[in-house]
Amino acid sequence: MDYNNILVELEEHLAIVTINRPKKLNALNTATIKELHLAFKALQKNNKVRVIILTGAGDKAFVAGADISEFAHFNTKQGGQLAAQGQELLFDYIENLEKPVIAAINGFALGGGLELAMSCHFRIASHNARMGLPEVSLGVIPGYGGTQRLPQLIGKGRAMEMIMTGGMIDVERAIEYGLVNHIASSEELLDFCTDIAKKIAKNSPMAISQAIKAINAGFKHDVHGFEVEINAFGQCFGTDDFKEGTTAFLEKRKASFQGS
Ligand code: COA
């Protein structure tokens, strides 16, 4: 598929999705959000793809936020629709994707950019990364899940401070807060993420998707996390991946998973 605002590269079991508006610091306009939705939908269906890395083009920004020029004149109704549509098409969509998505934060991750990184299953950042939710400086609040996911990841008090000050934190602070898992140099960021992606890709894609569902369930109010885990655990037993994984262990060989 042809995209205007993003790039999608496939290599073995890995897909790298790059938001490609470097002159606008990869700011998320509506067109980019729609393209990202289509790309993630296609990657979800592609049986070969097991892990996805999401990053931004250029050496300055992952994503510097929602495109301010697009919503500056919006009214109350349009503002609500912007948040609802974005959450449905992209942010919740990525969080609930059945395949792991790693955010490679290669510079500024601000506003919708940090919210996008927080929708991913975990984050790895380069030394020059700066993260923050500056929305209150624009007279608005984070609307792509930031008020929910930031406290989940770093705790309520720290999230309150970050959102109220609108300030940026550097990678050392982000590591201390648990917002990112690892730091890499700008040059090595994608290789670092790829190494982790390859380790993930060796494991059962079916089990990984069940694990994502069970972990996410613990952060939802309409389901019971422990019950979702019990059900997902049981489901694994009826799969080829489970048969292969346990048989390979008993036969003292490496498992070769097909993902079902
Ligand atoms: N929406 C729309 N355009 C954006 C943008 C955003 N969120 N962030 C950056 N841009 C654009 C700038 O308008 C500029 O475009 P121009 O060259 O056509 O004028 C271009 O990207 C480069 O940004 P610039 O501000 O010149 O770079 P800088 O290095 O001086 O500053 C930032 C970098 C990230 C500090 C600054 O761009 C910024 O504060 N961006 C907005 C961050 C924000 O509030 N995000 C939350 C939005 S809800």
Side-chain angles (χ1 to χ4, degrees):
M1 195 179 286
D2 281 341
Y3 300 109
N4 295 318
N5 302 286
I6 63 171
L7 304 168
V8 179
E9 294 161 82
L10 301 176
E11 193 195 314
E12 290 280 310
H13 293 312
L14 176 67
I16 301 180
V17 178
T18 306
I19 299 162
N20 191 27
R21 301 181 73 215
K23 285 188 184 149
K24 294 291 177 189
L25 303 187
N26 304 319
L28 288 178
N29 58 6
T30 312
T32 306
I33 288 178
K34 285 185 180 158
E35 287 188 8
L36 283 166
H37 174 74
L38 292 175
F40 278 100
K41 200 172 181 180
L43 294 172
Q44 172 69 55
K45 282 194 195 143
N46 184 335
N47 285 338
K48 209 165 173 223
V49 173
R50 294 192 177 181
V51 187
I52 302 162
I53 295 173
L54 177 62
T55 194
D59 53 10
K60 209 170 160 186
F62 173 71
V63 169
D67 194 317
I68 299 167
S69 65
E70 226 181 37
F71 66 72
H73 61 281
F74 275 11
N75 61 27
T76 312
K77 194 172 165 206
Q78 290 169 310
Q81 282 169 346
L82 181 76
Q85 200 185 38
Q87 291 195 19
E88 185 187 335
L89 285 182
L90 186 59
F91 297 79
D92 291 353
Y93 196 80
I94 289 182
E95 183 173 74
N96 294 308
L97 208 76
E98 289 169 18
K99 299 180 183 186
V101 186
I102 304 170
I105 306 178
N106 57 312
F108 289 114
L110 301 174
L114 180 56
E115 290 174 298
L116 184 61
M118 291 193 293
S119 301
C120 297
H121 298 114
F122 60 91
R123 290 143 291 284
I124 297 168
S126 59
H127 287 290
N128 65 327
R130 298 279 178 280
M131 284 150 266
L133 293 178
E135 284 87 346
V136 294
S137 71
L138 298 166
V140 69
I141 67 166
Y144 287 146
T147 65
Q148 305 306 301
R149 292 193 182 97
L150 190 62
Q152 286 169 5
L153 284 164
I154 71 172
K156 188 174 170 185
R158 286 165 168 170
M160 284 278 188
E161 183 181 338
M162 276 185 71
I163 290 172
M164 287 175 186
T165 62
M168 295 185 209
I169 60 168
D170 61 17
V171 278
E172 278 77 24
R173 183 59 62 90
I175 282 274
E176 184 196 327
Y177 280 7
L179 187 54
V180 305
N181 290 11
H182 305 279
I183 306 177
S185 67
S186 298
E187 301 75 38
E188 286 167 345
L189 179 64
L190 279 185
D191 285 346
F192 193 101
C193 293
T194 301
D195 283 349
I196 295 183
K198 282 183 178 163
K199 284 183 194 156
I200 294 172
K202 283 186 188 151
N203 294 320
S204 157
M206 177 284 303
I208 286 169
S209 76
Q210 294 286 10
I212 292 172
K213 188 167 72 175
I215 293 167
N216 280 340
F219 297 91
K220 292 183 177 160
H221 298 294
D222 55 344
V223 287
H224 190 276
F226 286 95
E227 278 171 16
V228 172
E229 182 185 278
I230 290 166
N231 186 43
F233 182 79
Q235 296 281 319
C236 294
F237 284 68
T239 65
D240 290 343
D241 272 10
F242 174 73
K243 207 176 286 172
E244 167 62 10
T246 47
T247 306
F249 178 81
L250 296 172
E251 290 176 354
K252 300 191 187 304
R253 63 173 171 82
K254 281 209 167 93
S256 172
F257 292 110
Q258 301 306 314
S260 58

